[in-house]
């Protein structure tokens, strides 16, 4: 009989389950939630949308709402809903410096709110997909509804 304890292997299901729990705990903590709150919000969101969601999905949605919650970034999104535009066009239209505009555009692109396409020497920004356009339109329909 050996005195040493066996170390769990990477393929050990008990170890893998605890790693997932730690990842969920980390995600919940980034969102300012307890683990129990993370489980509850995931359950409620899954029911509300009729899809099996995870805490990273909740985190991604919260990030998108956070980005759209800034009036400057929202203005960039609204301009890109009209037509594809360059950084300089967006900066001029929004009275932002090109540096600040580029910074906002990078965050919007990282979350797939906007997409970029190079055409010759210029990069054009546009809405990534119709989902974002619908969200923005629905929010404005909501706030203008009597």
């Amino acid at each position: 009989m050996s005195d040493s304890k066996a170390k769990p292997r990477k393929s050990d299901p008990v170890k893998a389950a605890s790693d997932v729990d730690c990842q969920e705990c980390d995600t919940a903590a980034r969102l300012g939630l307890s683990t129990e709150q993370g489980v509850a919000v995931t359950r409620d969101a899954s029911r509300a949308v009729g899809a099996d969601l995870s805490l990273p999905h909740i985190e991604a949605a919260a990030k998108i709402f956070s980005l759209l919650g800034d009036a400057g970034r929202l203005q960039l999104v609204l301009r890109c809903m009209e037509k594809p535009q360059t950084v300089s066009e967006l900066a001029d239209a929004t009275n932002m410096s090109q540096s600040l505009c580029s910074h906002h555009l990078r965050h919007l692109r990282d979350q797939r709110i906007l997409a970029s396409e190079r055409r010759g020497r210029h990069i054009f920004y546009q809405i990534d997909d119709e989902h974002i356009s619908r969200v923005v339109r629905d929010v404005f329909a909501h706030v203008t509804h009597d």
Side-chain angles (χ1 to χ4, degrees):
M1 188 171 185
S2 172
D3 289 333
S4 66
K5 295 183 179 182
K7 292 182 181 177
R9 293 177 292 173
K10 284 191 174 188
S11 62
D12 187 346
V14 173
K15 175 77 171 136
S18 67
D19 286 345
V20 170
D21 290 343
C22 289
Q23 290 172 355
E24 292 288 313
C25 292
D26 291 345
T27 304
R30 281 193 306 273
L31 289 168
L33 303 172
S34 68
T35 304
E36 294 79 18
Q37 290 170 318
V39 169
V41 73
T42 302
R43 179 196 61 232
D44 295 344
S46 295
R47 282 188 201 152
V49 301
D52 189 25
L53 300 175
S54 66
L55 210 46
H57 292 126
I58 304 302
E59 184 177 33
K63 179 72 173 175
I64 288 170
F65 285 119
S66 174
L67 287 169
L68 293 176
D70 176 85
R73 286 189 293 261
L74 180 58
Q75 187 179 11
L76 292 171
V77 170
L78 292 167
R79 299 290 302 191
C80 291
M81 286 173 65
E82 294 174 17
K83 65 178 184 169
Q85 299 191 38
T86 65
V87 175
S88 58
E89 290 172 327
L90 290 166
D92 288 345
T94 59
N95 292 320
M96 288 183 199
S97 68
Q98 282 199 4
S99 175
L100 178 60
C101 188
S102 293
H103 175 78
H104 286 316
L105 290 169
R106 184 179 72 243
H107 288 291
L108 293 166
R109 196 179 63 233
D110 288 349
Q111 294 302 312
R112 297 182 18 235
I113 296 170
L114 297 180
S116 61
E117 178 184 342
R118 179 173 289 282
R119 296 183 200 161
R121 295 178 55 208
H122 299 283
I123 297 175
F124 286 82
Y125 292 86
Q126 62 193 7
I127 293 296
D128 188 77
D129 63 30
E130 189 56 31
H131 295 112
I132 294 298
S133 295
R134 281 196 307 261
V135 167
V136 172
R137 285 187 191 107
D138 284 349
V139 167
F140 282 107
H142 174 75
V143 300
T144 60
H145 184 260
D146 290 334

